[in-house]
Amino acid sequence: MTTDSTDDHSATTTTTTTTPSPEPPTRRRLGGPTTVTLAVTIVGAVVAAAVTPLGDRVMNSFFDEPTCPGEACEGKNPQSQGCGEDARSLKPAVNNPAQLQIRYSEACGAVWARIQSGNPGDVVMVEVLPGRTARSAEVEYDHDKFTHMVTVPDGEFQATACVIPKPGGDSTFDRYCVHATEATAWR
């Protein structure tokens, strides 16, 4: 028996064509939806910062205006409201055992009291006459503390700040007070 075998190998030809490498991507200018998205993000961040207390403080520091002029300052923190920026003080230099001072911000229309050499448990208070609410604060740690603000009427006012030592505490002085008016030589 004869076997006839034919070797049918088909030749496969592979043609390789060289395509040029793609050009490096060119920088696109922002436009269309990308620009709008970026702008909205930035504006949103600015608005969010402006409506928070910290944002309030930052924005007002640009304009040098307190955040709460007049009655709106009643009972608020003078530092966070920007009232310390223009504040002047009455701080007797002699026989002032707790370094007590009355702070007055004309722009905010308010006063507050501050002690710098108190002890934990000592109380600092401020009162404005005629007929305003008194504010007080207790030294919790360290040696300094300030009260929240009491608004002053337009025109004449009398303010009294006192420091009252904690009974049996570390302070060695008795109750000490300072008095001021709108005509005081504030520094």
Side-chain angles (χ1 to χ4, degrees):
M1 177 178 216
T2 350
T3 315
D4 202 10
S5 82
T6 50
D7 199 7
D8 191 11
H9 290 281
S10 39
T12 308
T13 314
T14 307
T15 313
T16 309
T17 56
T18 343
T19 56
S21 63
E23 292 182 27
T26 57
R27 288 192 172 180
R28 285 183 30 182
R29 292 181 58 164
L30 292 178
T34 305
T35 301
V36 172
T37 302
L38 182 60
V40 168
T41 302
I42 291 170
V43 168
V46 169
V47 168
V51 297
T52 63
L54 176 59
D56 246 3
R57 179 76 177 104
V58 170
M59 296 301 287
N60 283 315
S61 69
F62 288 122
F63 302 113
D64 288 69
E65 292 180 13
T67 60
C68 66
E71 292 293 327
C73 289
E74 182 68 41
K76 293 188 177 174
N77 181 321
Q79 289 180 335
S80 65
Q81 299 300 315
C83 296
E85 302 298 323
D86 79 318
R88 296 174 288 156
S89 298
L90 170 64
K91 179 180 172 185
V94 179
N95 298 325
N96 187 350
Q99 299 302 302
L100 176 65
Q101 58 184 288
I102 298 176
R103 307 263 300 152
Y104 170 52
S105 168
E106 192 171 347
C108 290
V111 296
W112 61 96
R114 178 180 178 204
I115 58 174
Q116 294 176 296
S117 296
N119 287 297
D122 291 350
V123 174
V124 60
M125 57 87 54
V126 64
E127 180 179 29
V128 175
L129 297 174
R132 300 292 178 170
T133 304
R135 300 278 173 202
S136 63
E138 183 176 320
V139 178
E140 297 160 5
Y141 55 89
D142 210 11
H143 300 286
D144 62 335
K145 189 69 176 183
F146 61 88
T147 67
H148 285 157
M149 295 182 283
V150 176
T151 57
V152 295
D154 290 335
E156 297 181 9
F157 67 86
Q158 296 176 12
T160 300
C162 297
V163 59
I164 303 134
K166 176 182 176 181
D170 292 336
S171 295
T172 58
F173 57 87
D174 292 327
R175 177 184 178 116
Y176 176 77
C177 297
V178 176
H179 307 282
T181 68
E182 77 290 339
T184 295
W186 300 94
R187 297 187 278 136

